[in-house]
Amino acid sequence: MLKEKALEKIDELLTEMPPFIRDFVETKTADEYSPNTILEYLKNYHQFFSWLIVSKSIPEKSIVEISAESLDALQMRIATQYKAYLLSRKKQNSKQINKDGSPKESTATLSKVTIQRNITALKVLFKYLSESHNNVIGKPYLSHNIMQEISNVTERQTLQARADLLEDKLFLGNETEEYLNYINDVYPSTLSPQAMKYYKRDRERDLAINALMLGSGLRLSEVVNLNVDDISFEQNRVSVVRKGDKKDSVRIASFAMEYLANYLTIRDSRYHPDKYETAFFVSISKGIAKRITGSAIEKMVEKYSSGFKVRVTPHKLRHTLATRLYKQSGGDLILTAQQLGHSSTLTTNLYVHVENNTTTDALNSL
């Protein structure tokens, strides 16, 4: 999400939040937390506060009225109960509806990753409220921290098991080239005349987006936030802002550069953005060229990939680049981590287990 958009949503959410949350946001902003991180925290806090009200764990009837005193009165078991609630909560499936038009309830529970993000966010908040003097009252809001003893949620799955599930949803070997050729040559044969009109308008852009993700491993948000001046065609590099607002210069595979150049030649003539629109990738919204959204890219990737092989996400295209790069570099984990913008190679270890035939070869030679 764009920084400006995230800041707008933060301001909107703060109008529904207790005053001490504004102190928290000011402190974390000064600590250089990214707006997107703060926004996700606020969403988690809004959910937690709503649960406190519904479960009658506090006397207040609305979130904005919640006092620090009410939070300070909470016992440790409340944190345990909320964790149990998250572990049993069903996903909200807005894409499927019942016959009466109501959202169909999902049978799947929240992922362990989602639950852990909630818990981490609450630990950050309660640590601040119970330790920091940097607020309007000049002393900690809370006398104790009910979140400090809550254990983290871990995925009970080995890296190899995760890699096995992931491998079938990657474009490995020659499939990257075949996928791009499918978008350009095969997909249009499946379209109606009306759909063909939009396909022809967006073909170069869609190919460029897919090629960029497959040739650089950029995150979806990084692709969305690209500006025209961020790409260097002389150096095959792109300037991005990574997580934590860290600036980075990322290399792009040479095969992707042609697709990017083709798109750039038609960007102005086909989309007609005004001179103030800096976004590299744009789409038409109500007749106006605007920065493309992450949701639009997700739908576009789903559309093309479903017909080619298996429905994938932009993040799976990032996984594809990581896996292919790790293999082509001879297993250079540091190089792969740097390309992906990982601060630690621990996050990158997953790709060691994808297409790793060393163990199989060793067993077969016994």
Side-chain angles (χ1 to χ4, degrees):
M1 181 183 293
L2 286 173
K3 182 177 181 179
E4 293 77 12
K5 192 68 175 177
L7 290 171
E8 287 179 13
K9 290 185 176 294
I10 288 171
D11 288 339
E12 290 175 10
L13 270 175
L14 282 176
T15 63
E16 305 173 21
M17 292 290 194
F20 55 80
I21 294 296
R22 184 172 293 277
D23 285 342
F24 169 83
V25 168
E26 288 177 352
T27 298
K28 295 308 174 185
T29 300
D31 290 340
E32 298 188 36
Y33 277 51
S34 76
N36 285 321
T37 297
I38 294 174
L39 177 59
E40 291 306 312
Y41 280 173
L42 291 183
K43 290 177 182 177
N44 291 328
Y45 302 155
H46 194 280
Q47 176 179 285
F48 175 64
F49 293 151
S50 296
W51 177 84
L52 289 177
I53 292 171
V54 171
S55 64
K56 298 182 179 180
S57 301
I58 53 176
E60 288 85 357
K61 303 299 182 182
S62 68
I63 292 176
V64 73
E65 296 175 339
I66 295 175
S67 66
E69 289 75 18
S70 291
L71 291 188
D72 206 25
L74 295 175
Q75 298 178 358
M76 189 72 68
R77 64 182 180 83
I78 296 298
T80 303
Q81 288 173 1
Y82 185 64
K83 180 181 177 182
Y85 160 75
L86 292 174
L87 286 166
S88 61
R89 181 186 161 193
K90 297 290 192 299
K91 291 181 178 179
Q92 294 180 344
N93 192 348
S94 59
K95 291 185 178 180
Q96 297 185 22
I97 59 175
N98 297 309
K99 291 182 178 180
D100 62 1
S102 61
K104 183 176 290 186
E105 183 176 351
S106 174
T107 58
T109 54
L110 296 177
S111 70
K112 295 294 181 65
V113 172
T114 299
I115 295 171
Q116 183 55 43
R117 284 174 182 162
N118 274 268
I119 292 173
T120 298
L122 287 171
K123 285 188 173 185
V124 171
L125 175 64
F126 275 79
K127 179 179 174 63
Y128 164 78
L129 293 176
S130 61
E131 296 181 6
S132 178
H133 292 71
N134 187 14
N135 55 56
V136 294
I137 64 174
K139 62 181 181 179
Y141 279 106
L142 305 182
S143 62
H144 66 297
N145 182 353
I146 64 170
M147 295 301 301
Q148 63 183 354
E149 295 183 21
I150 298 300
S151 61
N152 292 330
V153 175
T154 57
E155 189 70 59
R156 299 184 184 279
Q157 194 177 46
T158 66
L159 279 174
Q160 186 60 62
R162 288 179 60 199
D164 289 345
L165 291 173
L166 178 63
E167 188 169 359
D168 289 337
K169 295 184 178 180
L170 302 180
F171 297 154
L172 303 177
N174 296 325
E175 288 179 332
T176 289
E177 182 181 359
E178 292 171 0
Y179 172 57
L180 296 172
N181 288 340
Y182 169 81
I183 296 173
N184 190 60
D185 302 326
V186 180
Y187 180 79
S189 66
T190 67
L191 300 177
S192 66
Q194 180 67 12
M196 177 64 78
K197 181 177 70 171
Y198 293 107
Y199 167 78
K200 287 183 176 180
R201 182 192 69 188
D202 297 330
R203 175 174 53 193
E204 285 81 3
R205 184 202 66 187
D206 294 354
L207 281 165
I209 291 173
N210 279 279
L212 177 59
M213 289 188 286
L214 287 166
S216 67
L218 292 184
R219 296 179 176 89
L220 175 60
S221 61
E222 293 163 355
V223 174
V224 170
N225 291 333
L226 282 185
N227 291 326
V228 174
D229 294 337
D230 289 336
I231 297 180
S232 170
F233 286 89
E234 293 77 22
Q235 299 179 340
N236 287 19
R237 286 175 177 267
V238 58
S239 298
V240 300
V241 178
R242 298 289 200 182
K243 286 185 175 179
D245 277 347
K246 297 176 182 177
K247 293 183 179 180
D248 197 4
S249 179
V250 183
R251 292 176 174 84
I252 306 173
S254 58
F255 76 83
M257 298 307 298
E258 181 178 355
Y259 291 102
L260 293 170
N262 288 342
Y263 163 69
L264 192 57
T265 61
I266 59 90
R267 174 185 177 273
D268 292 348
S269 62
R270 198 171 295 174
Y271 294 93
H272 305 290
D274 66 39
K275 62 181 180 180
Y276 301 108
E277 181 53 75
T278 60
F280 186 77
F281 293 116
V282 295
S283 62
I284 302 296
S285 176
K286 298 180 180 178
I288 301 174
K290 295 183 178 180
R291 187 181 298 272
I292 195 169
T293 65
S295 176
I297 293 178
E298 287 175 329
K299 291 175 182 177
M300 179 263 289
V301 170
E302 177 183 352
K303 174 182 68 177
Y304 291 129
S305 62
S306 295
F308 171 67
K309 177 186 173 185
V310 61
R311 183 176 68 85
V312 300
T313 63
H315 200 66
K316 291 298 189 297
L317 299 184
R318 174 174 159 86
H319 281 316
T320 292
L321 178 280
T323 303
R324 296 184 72 207
L325 179 60
Y326 176 79
K327 184 179 180 180
Q328 285 295 115
S329 65
D332 192 327
L333 201 59
I334 294 177
L335 182 152
T336 306
Q338 289 174 340
Q339 180 68 28
L340 296 176
H342 287 164
S343 57
S344 167
T345 56
L346 291 175
T347 311
T348 322
N349 269 324
L350 172 64
Y351 308 112
V352 177
H353 296 75
V354 180
E355 274 213 335
N356 183 1
N357 296 319
T358 305
T359 302
T360 301
D361 292 343
L363 287 170
N364 289 340
S365 66
L366 294 177

